[in-house]
Amino acid sequence: MKKKVLISGGGTGGHIFPALSIANAIKRRIDADILFVGADNRMEMEKVPAAGYEIIGLPVAGFDRKNMLKNFSVLLKLFKSVRMARKIIKDFKPDIAIGVGGYASGPTLKAAQRAGVPTLVQEQNSYAGVTNKLLAAYAGRICVAYEGMEAFFPKEKIVLTGNPVRKDLTEHTFDKAKVRTRFGLNPEKVTVLVVGGSLGARTLNESLEAGLRKLLDAGLQVIWQTGKYFGTRGQQAAKGLQGAVVTEFITDMGSAYAAADLVVSRAGAGSISELQVLGKPCVLVPSPNVAEDHQTKNALALVHKDAAVMVTDAEARGKLVDTVLDLASDKEKLKSMSANISAMALRDSDEHIVDEIMKIIS
């Protein structure tokens, strides 16, 4: 008998890509209709249909923590989203509802729980968000990526599964020299990959803008994803310089990771899971603009195991480039960091999460 599975969440690639990985794993193993619920005008409304799945958008938005007066319209959107979520549950009649984090997962999973639909929560970070903590009391399972999550959730509901990563990163074997050549780089030179997400990270971009020549003069090569909002400033910074590839978005992240000896990144849960599975030494610059400062907590979980180096956002403009130079010149340090971060990896997370889904719907 065909099952009906509802998956809710999104807002960033860190939520969307794991959600799609879970959906694809469900399709491989279960005869299922899958419906996504996301937030209007967010990335999932484009990425999910492109992956072949139906999605319904809710008008839900995040609270403005700096200007409370703006939250009146946010509350109106929330009430409307709650009503819409109840109707989606009533019409679709899911056998299970899965929340992966993001604005839409709160009203959707709460509506499912009130209708008696079993729910599974996937918490990607080392510090649980408010929404998932509220949903946990009535969730059937809580799939987590870090140890010690009983500080936030009922211990008996927690399953350590890890965060799903994109299959294209792990299904292919990449030759480092060949992928560097494809990027137009020297196959022999130490290469640094800098990524701040699809929208970009202003602090990372401005740090590279100021320090790119210094990195290249030291003999390094740089692959730099600037993201959507940095315009042509990255290309201007690299104009006339050899050994720098600057692009708004990298489609083939598998090749970019393979080319890199060291990665500079924000500390989102999805990015960290990718770095762990690929065993990539990294410098993490946590975003200060996230709830409960969870990216700093994600980064520290690696730092405490000598699996990464952290530079705070406030320090980055003055410290990031020199930190990269020091690490890139220390081959033994890079080797030990690679071993340590690889040891933290939880592999086949999508399959483990589907194991839990099947237990619930069976």
Side-chain angles (χ1 to χ4, degrees):
M1 185 175 175
K2 182 170 279 193
K3 299 295 183 181
K4 291 189 173 184
V5 179
L6 191 91
I7 302 176
S8 183
T12 67
H15 292 308
I16 297 163
F17 293 129
L20 289 172
S21 294
I22 294 168
N24 292 337
I26 291 169
K27 279 297 218 184
R28 289 194 298 269
R29 294 175 56 182
I30 304 172
D31 184 16
D33 285 332
I34 299 174
L35 175 66
F36 279 77
V37 178
D40 273 341
N41 301 315
R42 302 290 290 189
M43 190 189 300
E44 57 265 30
M45 301 308 293
E46 175 188 343
K47 298 292 185 184
V48 170
Y53 295 102
E54 181 184 353
I55 186 168
I56 299 173
L58 304 181
V60 65
F63 283 94
D64 190 322
R65 295 162 189 262
K66 295 178 181 178
N67 187 343
M68 298 305 291
L69 293 176
K70 291 184 178 180
N71 288 325
F72 181 71
S73 63
V74 174
L75 286 171
L76 291 178
K77 291 178 179 178
L78 178 60
F79 292 139
K80 183 177 180 182
S81 297
V82 168
R83 289 198 302 271
M84 289 179 65
R86 288 173 182 165
K87 188 175 189 307
I88 291 167
I89 298 297
K90 183 179 178 181
D91 293 345
F92 185 61
K93 298 180 175 62
D95 293 287
I96 188 170
I98 301 160
V100 297
Y103 300 140
S105 65
T108 305
L109 259 70
K110 182 54 69 177
Q113 290 174 346
R114 286 176 173 166
V117 176
T119 57
L120 179 145
V121 170
Q122 200 239 337
E123 174 55 65
Q124 297 159 6
N125 294 293
S126 61
Y127 190 92
V130 172
T131 300
N132 280 351
K133 285 189 281 189
L134 292 173
L135 292 170
Y138 298 99
R141 295 282 193 287
I142 303 158
C143 295
V144 302
Y146 293 88
E147 296 175 348
M149 297 303 287
E150 58 270 15
F152 309 103
F153 302 127
K155 186 176 181 179
E156 67 277 7
K157 295 185 179 185
I158 296 173
V159 182
L160 185 64
T161 59
N163 290 322
V165 301
R166 292 171 280 184
K167 287 290 185 186
D168 60 310
L169 300 181
T170 57
E171 286 182 339
H172 306 291
T173 301
F174 296 93
D175 182 278
K176 182 173 283 190
K178 287 181 180 178
V179 294
R180 286 178 181 170
T181 301
R182 286 209 301 270
F183 276 106
L185 297 172
N186 186 323
E188 303 298 327
K189 281 190 172 184
V190 175
T191 303
V192 180
L193 171 64
V194 183
V195 285
S198 57
L199 300 180
R202 184 171 181 174
T203 302
L204 297 190
N205 284 336
E206 291 183 350
S207 299
L208 261 289
E209 185 179 40
L212 182 61
R213 183 182 290 272
K214 188 174 182 179
L215 293 172
L216 301 179
D217 286 348
L220 303 182
Q221 298 180 134
V222 177
I223 301 172
W224 175 14
Q225 178 181 286
T226 63
K228 185 177 179 180
Y229 294 142
F230 204 56
T232 61
R233 287 171 60 179
Q235 286 82 355
Q236 290 299 315
K239 194 172 182 178
L241 302 178
Q242 294 293 317
V245 176
V246 184
T247 180
E248 179 182 306
F249 186 74
I250 299 170
T251 304
D252 185 2
M253 278 303 299
S255 292
Y257 277 130
D261 298 293
L262 177 65
V263 178
V264 179
S265 173
R266 287 300 200 192
S271 297
I272 286 178
S273 294
E274 291 176 354
L275 294 167
Q276 289 171 332
V277 168
L278 297 172
K280 286 295 171 181
C282 56
V283 179
L284 300 174
V285 185
S287 171
N289 305 311
V290 294
E292 288 92 26
D293 195 26
H294 68 252
Q295 285 202 10
T296 295
K297 298 173 178 72
N298 290 348
L300 287 173
L302 274 67
V303 171
H304 291 155
K305 295 193 176 183
D306 294 323
V309 170
M310 186 179 84
V311 175
T312 68
D313 192 82
E315 296 173 323
R317 289 176 178 84
K319 187 177 176 182
L320 179 59
V321 168
D322 288 336
T323 300
V324 169
L325 286 170
D326 289 344
L327 274 176
S329 64
D330 190 341
K331 290 186 178 180
E332 286 304 311
K333 177 70 171 174
L334 291 177
K335 187 176 179 180
S336 68
M337 287 173 64
S338 177
N340 292 340
I341 195 169
S342 184
M344 296 181 71
L346 295 167
R347 303 176 193 281
D348 299 319
S349 299
D350 53 350
E351 298 292 342
H352 296 313
I353 291 169
V354 176
D355 288 342
E356 299 306 316
I357 292 169
M358 292 179 71
K359 289 176 187 175
I360 291 172
I361 62 178
S362 296

